[in-house]
Amino acid sequence: MLLNPVISKLAGKRVVLASASPRRQDILTNVGLRFEVVPSWFKETLDKSVFSAPYEYAVETAKQKALEVARRMHMKHLKTPDIVIGADTIVTLEDAILEKPVDKQDAYNMLSRLSGKEHSVFTGVAIVHCKSQEDNQLETDVFDFYEETKVKFADLSEDLLWEYVHSGEPMDKAGGYGIQSLGGMLVERVHGDFLNVVGFPLNHFCKKLAEIYYPPSKQTINRIKHDSIPYVETFENLSDIEQDCCVKSEALNAKTGIQEKCNYAFKNKSSNVTVPDTAALQNGIPERSSDHLQLPANIIQLLDGFKASKTLFAACKLKVFDKLKDKRALKAEDIADEINASLCGTEKLLDACVALGLLEKTHQVTVVYSNTEAANTFLACDSEFSIHEYIIHSNDHMWPLFTHLEFAVKEGTCQKQRVFEKSTHGLIHDTHLCNQDRRKNFMAANHGMMKITAKDVATAFDLFKYASACDLGGCTGALAHDLIQIYPNMKVNVFDLPGVIENVCHFQPEHFDSSRISFTSGNFLEDNLPEADLYILSRVVHDLTDEKLNCLLQKISDACHLDRSALLLAEIVLDEEKREPRALLQSLSMSEGKQRSGSEYRRLLQSYGFTNVLVRKTGNLLDAVLAFKS
């Protein structure tokens, strides 16, 4: 492959992708590049008006993304990367830049503008070489390029556009579409690099690496110094051995005459480079051949994945993020005292959280740790959108189940009995108290998860015509609260088991509107269902046996009035090819039910008289399915 000749040049180097895009990660992983992912925090707020061409904006954004990661890893993480790769993809129509839509209406407007027209997709890519000097200063050399691909959309109807918008796919993609997925149905033709439209121009990237690592033996090059980064001697070009061989090498910058943009000042400097024969030794060891086998990055990540999950679980269990909330910064010894833990263990846990992007580490008079914005928002116990209890539930209940996965696979059954009987063997428990505590913990976990995803479920479809809703198994009413805020004419009845209803008072917001939300005790498998225009099942269907599901869906179907009632499901919807991991991994818990794809939900619900079934991928923890009787 085109990239293989330079793979050996990157062996042993810390290569970082400054992007959270799974599409870019897949493209680079598939060609055998080993790298770690550190998403950039650079705010994409550059003034577009100062750029003479759209591609310049994409290139500059990619460059600043990569530089931000390089600086952060050097100063905060104390892990200077060797190479940072940044990328930014934009869609342009008549020189107007279309980035990621801010909401569904914005996505629809973008796609309407593209309908029937040809547009350009530009991806700017920056390859930043980094080196730390003895005085802890960082030097970078930047190589950048861009790729353009022309894409022609078919003439698209309003219904088709809204169907695509409601799928949730446009929301994290430049121009509001993903050509590699459902968005491919919008495209009539492509002229140029298809992967560039997906998000990364692999062919051009490979050629650029070849230019960097296999240039002519002598070449005049320009070097760039960024004002905000101190200037030092940099990057040892092709291999570490070049220093040992007394070959003076400096990193290349293939682009000369770079103009000043957005007050990012550059200084140019030139020198000569001598490139050794490609059979040269690296650090005295013969260079690896291009067909040398390397362990794929995704396997390496999977090997360590459970450690990362357990690090998050332990930090939440010890309430590390609570100690650091509200922009508080503490030394490791102070945190160790507050969580009643050893200093050495605490330091290791904190540094691991820094590496995972959960905490920040700052060098002041001494080293202090603080929460990231995400940790303050989602991981501290008392934040509005905290998933702390859901994480604790995952640690206490899901983690033990998955440690017995091989037994679950062999037996095809859930391992709750094996796990929890073993953990309580030989102990005397107050069963009622134990069940009460478990119930409250489960409710807290469910409440945290639903608060994160409820709004996306509630807005996946237009529900304004439904005056009443019944949330079957609605637990704390988290979804109900979002429904009444979004639909001012709707009233919601939360129907759940008596043991759940008696505890819902602990989860109600300060301004609870009891005139529009009611809670009713009952068992939806045994009791008559309350009347409603809209019935809701959140995270219920996947957990029921065929017999129980048949009973429940028949009861709901019988309760629904023709042309007036509907059923809303909130579940993880499998992709049709069953390749997306989240729902598939969830299914390994071996519950009594099963995860389903959109087409499987359609067939299931149609068998109970719901002839019109719509499926929406929300991009959140749960997707939505709306079924009508007609």
Side-chain angles (χ1 to χ4, degrees):
M1 291 185 296
L2 188 58
L3 190 57
N4 274 346
V6 295
I7 282 287
S8 61
K9 298 296 182 184
L10 304 180
K13 295 188 182 297
R14 180 184 289 272
V15 181
V16 174
L17 176 63
S19 172
S21 166
R23 297 168 292 280
R24 292 184 181 127
Q25 295 171 32
D26 288 343
I27 291 170
L28 292 174
T29 297
N30 288 340
V31 294
L33 186 64
R34 292 179 59 177
F35 59 91
E36 57 187 283
V37 176
V38 180
S40 179
W41 295 350
F42 175 70
K43 304 289 186 184
E44 298 181 33
T45 55
L46 297 178
D47 183 358
K48 299 179 180 67
S49 65
V50 305
F51 297 94
S52 59
Y55 73 84
E56 293 181 351
Y57 169 80
V59 169
E60 188 63 39
T61 301
K63 188 185 305 179
Q64 296 307 319
K65 285 180 178 179
L67 288 171
E68 186 280 324
V69 168
R71 296 167 187 149
R72 174 156 48 95
M73 291 187 70
H74 176 72
M75 296 302 296
K76 292 187 177 182
H77 298 183
L78 300 180
K79 296 178 180 178
T80 303
D82 296 306
I83 301 168
V84 181
I85 302 167
D88 186 62
T89 300
I90 59 172
V91 171
T92 66
L93 180 65
E94 300 168 351
D95 288 335
I97 297 175
L98 308 179
E99 295 188 282
K100 298 174 184 177
V102 296
D103 53 32
K104 290 183 178 180
Q105 186 62 53
D106 190 32
Y108 174 80
N109 293 340
M110 282 187 185
L111 294 168
S112 297
R113 293 176 63 186
L114 296 174
S115 177
K117 299 176 183 177
E118 184 177 76
H119 61 271
S120 291
V121 179
F122 292 99
T123 299
V125 178
I127 304 169
V128 178
H129 289 158
C130 310
K131 187 178 181 182
S132 180
Q133 193 70 326
E134 290 182 0
D135 59 357
N136 201 34
Q137 298 297 308
L138 177 70
E139 168 137 358
T140 62
D141 283 276
V142 182
F143 305 83
D144 58 60
F145 66 89
Y146 73 92
E147 183 72 26
E148 178 183 10
T149 303
K150 297 284 189 180
V151 179
K152 170 68 163 55
F153 265 28
D155 290 314
L156 306 170
S157 68
E158 181 178 351
D159 288 344
L160 177 61
L161 289 179
W162 275 116
E163 179 82 12
Y164 180 60
V165 169
H166 286 314
S167 74
E169 188 177 276
M171 303 315 298
D172 65 338
K173 297 173 179 64
Y177 73 97
I179 195 170
Q180 74 282 3
S181 301
L182 294 175
M185 68 181 179
L186 313 178
V187 175
E188 191 172 278
R189 66 173 181 268
V190 176
H191 181 70
D193 185 347
F194 176 83
L195 289 181
N196 182 53
V197 187
V198 177
F200 197 83
L202 182 62
N203 182 271
H204 199 154
F205 175 72
C206 296
K207 290 177 180 176
K208 179 59 69 173
L209 287 183
E211 287 178 19
I212 296 170
Y213 289 104
Y214 296 99
S217 58
K218 289 188 177 182
Q219 177 178 333
T220 300
I221 57 172
N222 290 322
R223 307 184 61 222
I224 299 173
K225 178 203 170 190
H226 296 267
D227 276 359
S228 56
I229 303 177
Y231 180 84
V232 294
E233 285 301 309
T234 186
F235 192 69
E236 55 282 312
N237 202 28
L238 297 189
S239 65
D240 296 337
I241 190 59
E242 292 170 19
Q243 284 186 340
D244 300 334
C245 296
C246 299
V247 179
K248 182 179 180 181
S249 62
E250 295 179 339
L252 305 181
N253 191 312
K255 186 175 180 180
T256 60
I258 297 178
Q259 296 179 347
E260 196 167 76
K261 299 286 183 191
C262 300
N263 298 323
Y264 298 110
F266 307 115
K267 293 183 181 179
N268 293 329
K269 187 176 180 181
S270 63
S271 62
N272 292 328
V273 172
T274 301
V275 181
D277 184 77
T278 56
L281 302 181
Q282 288 193 19
N283 297 327
I285 301 173
E287 188 176 325
R288 296 176 180 177
S289 62
S290 60
D291 61 351
H292 178 81
L293 285 177
Q294 291 182 320
L295 193 60
N298 64 324
I299 294 180
I300 294 174
Q301 291 168 1
L302 289 173
L303 284 172
D304 289 334
F306 77 95
K307 301 173 189 173
S309 295
K310 194 60 180 179
T311 298
L312 171 63
F313 296 167
C316 283
K317 194 87 170 179
L318 294 170
K319 296 193 174 181
V320 169
F321 306 107
D322 293 273
K323 308 303 179 186
L324 297 172
K325 65 183 179 183
D326 300 326
K327 299 183 179 180
R328 193 180 181 197
L330 293 175
K331 296 183 292 184
E333 49 263 41
D334 296 330
I335 300 172
D337 288 341
E338 294 208 21
I339 66 174
N340 193 26
S342 68
L343 177 57
C344 67
T346 302
E347 285 181 329
K348 290 177 180 179
L349 178 63
L350 295 174
D351 285 338
C353 288
V354 170
L356 293 173
L358 304 175
L359 295 178
E360 293 182 350
K361 184 178 182 179
T362 307
H363 294 261
Q364 299 174 358
V365 178
T366 184
V367 176
V368 295
Y369 297 86
S370 58
N371 279 345
T372 60
E373 183 178 347
N376 275 327
T377 303
F378 300 111
L379 304 181
C381 283
D382 58 357
S383 68
E384 181 182 359
F385 296 103
S386 174
I387 59 168
H388 175 87
E389 295 300 332
Y390 184 66
I391 292 171
I392 298 302
H393 174 76
S394 298
N395 179 73
D396 294 348
H397 296 278
M398 297 304 295
W399 180 273
L401 291 179
F402 273 79
T403 61
H404 291 78
L405 181 58
E406 62 273 26
F407 294 106
V409 171
K410 286 182 177 181
E411 299 168 8
T413 59
C414 182
Q415 298 299 297
K416 286 182 180 179
Q417 188 172 3
R418 173 182 272 113
V419 171
F420 296 113
E421 275 192 1
K422 180 180 178 181
S423 65
T424 60
H425 181 68
L427 300 177
I428 298 175
H429 286 271
D430 182 330
T431 304
H432 175 72
L433 179 61
C434 180
N435 289 341
Q436 277 287 88
D437 287 344
R438 284 187 182 179
R439 183 181 295 120
K440 288 181 181 178
N441 292 339
F442 174 79
M443 290 177 67
N446 184 279
H447 185 73
M449 193 195 73
M450 285 307 301
K451 286 197 72 173
I452 294 297
T453 195
K455 185 163 292 185
D456 283 318
V457 171
T459 58
F461 306 99
D462 184 353
L463 304 177
F464 273 99
K465 72 177 183 178
Y466 302 110
S468 62
C470 181
D471 192 354
L472 302 173
C475 199
T476 64
L479 177 57
H481 286 290
D482 271 298
L483 284 169
I484 66 168
Q485 289 178 12
I486 296 166
Y487 304 105
N489 297 321
M490 183 183 288
K491 293 183 178 181
V492 183
N493 183 2
V494 178
F495 188 79
D496 214 321
L497 296 170
V500 173
I501 298 300
E502 69 186 23
N503 288 296
V504 296
C505 58
H506 303 297
F507 300 94
Q508 301 315 303
E510 184 177 352
H511 304 291
F512 169 47
D513 188 352
S514 59
S515 66
R516 297 182 58 202
I517 296 181
S518 58
F519 292 89
T520 303
S521 298
N523 185 327
F524 55 59
L525 292 174
E526 300 174 359
D527 301 328
N528 292 329
L529 303 182
E531 288 191 7
D533 297 332
L534 177 69
Y535 289 96
I536 304 170
L537 293 172
S538 299
R539 302 181 72 237
V540 171
V541 173
H542 77 277
D543 210 29
L544 297 180
T545 63
D546 289 344
E547 181 182 359
K548 292 178 180 178
L549 185 58
N550 173 66
C551 171
L552 178 58
L553 291 180
Q554 191 60 60
K555 290 176 69 172
I556 294 173
S557 178
D558 293 342
C560 283
H561 303 285
L562 291 179
D563 300 324
R564 189 163 64 85
S565 300
L567 170 62
L568 175 66
L569 307 182
E571 294 280 355
I572 304 174
V573 177
L574 281 168
D575 63 296
E576 294 301 325
E577 295 182 358
K578 298 187 177 180
R579 296 177 63 90
E580 295 175 3
R582 187 164 179 268
L584 297 172
L585 293 174
Q586 179 72 19
S587 69
L588 289 174
S589 63
M590 301 293 179
S591 65
E592 293 181 325
K594 68 174 186 177
Q595 305 290 337
R596 293 174 172 84
S597 65
S599 61
E600 288 173 325
Y601 274 114
R602 286 190 179 93
R603 287 194 295 271
L604 172 68
L605 295 171
Q606 285 169 357
S607 67
Y608 291 93
F610 294 95
T611 55
N612 188 10
V613 181
L614 302 177
V615 179
R616 297 283 188 266
K617 299 283 280 186
T618 68
N620 207 321
L621 295 176
L622 296 176
D623 303 309
V625 179
L626 185 65
F628 310 89
K629 293 189 72 173
S630 60

